[in-house]
């Protein structure tokens, strides 16, 4: 069972799905592009939401390019709170395509939401990464945005009738990777809220965030566990054993 988890752990910890092409440019360039682009997208989204106007992102290549920018924007320093908030706003709206698509969601996502949702979940991991030299106020603002994302994911997990097995698995990996990011030993001494090699969460909002993580992970794990039991047989299925050991690692 350990080897099942070990192979899965490497996949989670070294996944590059949350890297944007903008990460290949100087940080100042990526920040400039992201702040301007996501502000426009968020404003357009707000206008379209109120008028049922369709998104002007009609081609898959347009959506893919935009998602590269949003991916980078989610990892901006917490001082760029407005830009990060705009990124969250856009992805929360787009994830609604898995439940009840809105006209403001780009057509390619409405037509085939699962692959895009899987990419979005990888990108959203950037939101959960601790930032060095962040004030208590900014960390709590980050926690509020994390809560918003978790509520959106919870809604999708409980209400969507179109989630594929692959998307369920990405959901679980997302939760495990986000927890690993928040609870892993610090890489820099001055990251606020770190004590004894673990995240010392600041304020009730951040403590509640971890409770939200825990309950949502249980919900998704139980779904996958029951699914594997029903269709494949947990004990005889290698994939089932891997998920079982991953969940055990998280809970203990």
């Amino acid at each position: 069972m350990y080897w099942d988890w070990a192979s899965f752990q490497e996949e989670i910890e070294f996944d590059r799905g949350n890297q944007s092409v903008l990460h290949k440019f100087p940080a100042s360039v990526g920040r400039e592009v992201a702040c301007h682009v996501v502000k426009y997208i968020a404003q357009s989204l707000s206008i379209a939401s109120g008028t049922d106007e369709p998104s002007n992102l009609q081609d898959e290549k347009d959506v893919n390019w935009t998602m590269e920018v949003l991916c980078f924007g989610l990892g901006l320093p917490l001082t760029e709170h407005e830009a990060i908030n705009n990124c969250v706003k856009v992805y929360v709206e787009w994830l609604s395509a898995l439940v009840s698509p809105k006209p403001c969601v780009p057509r390619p996502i409405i037509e085939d939401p699962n692959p895009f949702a899987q990419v979005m979940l990888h990108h959203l991991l950037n939101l959960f990464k601790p930032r060095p030299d962040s004030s208590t106020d900014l960390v709590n603002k980050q926690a509020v945005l994390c809560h918003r994302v978790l509520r959106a994911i919870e809604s999708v997990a409980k209400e969507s009738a179109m989630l594929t097995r692959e998307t369920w698995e990405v959901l679980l990996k997302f939760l495990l990777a986000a927890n690993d990011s928040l609870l892993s030993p610090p890489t820099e001494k001055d990251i606020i809220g770190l004590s004894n090699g673990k995240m010392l969460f600041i304020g009730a909002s951040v403590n509640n965030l971890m409770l939200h993580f825990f309950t949502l992970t249980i919900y998704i794990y139980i779904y996958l566990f029951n699914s594997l039991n029903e269709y494949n047989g947990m004990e005889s299925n290698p994939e089932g054993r891997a998920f079982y050991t991953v969940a055990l690692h998280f809970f203990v």
Side-chain angles (χ1 to χ4, degrees), residues 149-190:
V149 168
L150 290 177
R151 284 194 298 270
I153 292 174
E154 184 176 22
S155 175
V156 167
K158 292 182 176 180
E159 298 175 22
S160 177
M162 63 178 71
L163 288 179
T164 63
R165 174 60 182 277
E166 290 76 15
T167 303
W168 277 109
E169 292 176 2
V170 172
L171 276 172
L172 180 58
K173 291 176 185 178
F174 162 80
L175 292 169
L176 292 167
N179 273 282
D180 183 71
S181 176
L182 289 173
L183 295 172
S184 61
T187 55
E188 299 185 35
K189 292 182 179 179
D190 295 331

Side-chain angles (χ1 to χ4, degrees), residues 104-119:
C104 60
V105 176
R107 181 180 54 80
I109 298 178
I110 293 176
E111 292 178 350
D112 191 14
N114 277 284
F116 287 102
Q118 292 164 26
V119 174

Side-chain angles (χ1 to χ4, degrees), residues 2-74:
Y2 170 78
W3 291 111
D4 286 332
W5 157 245
S7 61
F8 215 65
Q9 181 184 32
E10 183 175 344
E11 178 184 345
I12 289 174
E13 292 183 349
F14 297 100
D15 178 68
R16 306 294 291 176
N18 62 336
Q19 294 295 301
S20 164
V21 65
L22 288 178
H23 285 105
K24 299 182 181 296
F25 294 88
S28 58
V29 174
R31 182 182 306 189
E32 192 78 12
V33 172
C35 287
H36 283 85
V37 172
V38 300
K39 183 177 182 179
Y40 171 79
I41 296 171
Q43 289 175 342
S44 301
L45 192 69
S46 298
I47 295 171
S49 296
T51 62
D52 287 337
E53 181 180 336
S55 169
N56 59 359
L57 301 175
Q58 293 296 308
D59 297 324
E60 186 172 340
K61 63 180 178 61
D62 299 335
V63 176
N64 289 336
W65 183 88
T66 303
M67 290 176 71
E68 289 287 328
V69 178
L70 292 166
C71 174
F72 185 88
L74 287 162

Side-chain angles (χ1 to χ4, degrees), residues 13-249:
E13 292 183 349
F14 297 100
D15 178 68
R16 306 294 291 176
N18 62 336
Q19 294 295 301
S20 164
V21 65
L22 288 178
H23 285 105
K24 299 182 181 296
F25 294 88
S28 58
V29 174
R31 182 182 306 189
E32 192 78 12
V33 172
C35 287
H36 283 85
V37 172
V38 300
K39 183 177 182 179
Y40 171 79
I41 296 171
Q43 289 175 342
S44 301
L45 192 69
S46 298
I47 295 171
S49 296
T51 62
D52 287 337
E53 181 180 336
S55 169
N56 59 359
L57 301 175
Q58 293 296 308
D59 297 324
E60 186 172 340
K61 63 180 178 61
D62 299 335
V63 176
N64 289 336
W65 183 88
T66 303
M67 290 176 71
E68 289 287 328
V69 178
L70 292 166
C71 174
F72 185 88
L74 287 162
L76 286 170
L78 297 183
T79 50
E80 301 290 350
H81 176 74
E82 181 182 359
I84 299 172
N85 181 49
N86 284 334
C87 293
V88 170
K89 182 189 302 183
V90 172
Y91 268 177
V92 166
E93 288 290 336
W94 288 5
L95 284 171
S96 71
L98 288 164
V99 180
S100 179
K102 302 177 182 178
C104 60
V105 176
R107 181 180 54 80
I109 298 178
I110 293 176
E111 292 178 350
D112 191 14
N114 277 284
F116 287 102
Q118 292 164 26
V119 174
M120 284 185 247
L121 289 168
H122 283 293
H123 292 177
L124 284 165
L125 283 174
N126 289 330
L127 175 65
F128 292 82
K129 290 185 176 181
R131 274 41 164 207
D133 304 318
S134 297
S135 67
T136 301
D137 179 59
L138 288 175
V139 171
N140 281 322
K141 286 182 177 180
Q142 180 188 16
V144 170
L145 293 178
C146 291
H147 268 298
R148 184 178 181 186
V149 168
L150 290 177
R151 284 194 298 270
I153 292 174
E154 184 176 22
S155 175
V156 167
K158 292 182 176 180
E159 298 175 22
S160 177
M162 63 178 71
L163 288 179
T164 63
R165 174 60 182 277
E166 290 76 15
T167 303
W168 277 109
E169 292 176 2
V170 172
L171 276 172
L172 180 58
K173 291 176 185 178
F174 162 80
L175 292 169
L176 292 167
N179 273 282
D180 183 71
S181 176
L182 289 173
L183 295 172
S184 61
T187 55
E188 299 185 35
K189 292 182 179 179
D190 295 331
I191 296 179
I192 191 167
L194 292 171
S195 176
N196 299 323
K198 295 290 183 180
M199 178 70 79
L200 178 63
F201 296 105
I202 306 168
S205 62
V206 192
N207 288 325
N208 290 337
L209 175 63
M210 295 311 298
L211 179 60
H212 204 157
F213 260 126
F214 184 74
T215 55
L216 185 53
T217 305
I218 289 176
Y219 179 86
I220 293 174
Y221 171 66
I222 288 174
Y223 174 89
L224 287 167
F225 184 91
N226 290 337
S227 174
L228 285 166
N229 264 332
E230 182 176 354
Y231 297 110
N232 301 318
M234 175 64 76
E235 294 302 322
S236 61
N237 185 273
E239 184 183 17
R241 290 198 303 272
F243 271 103
Y244 179 73
T245 51
V246 167
L248 277 181
H249 175 85

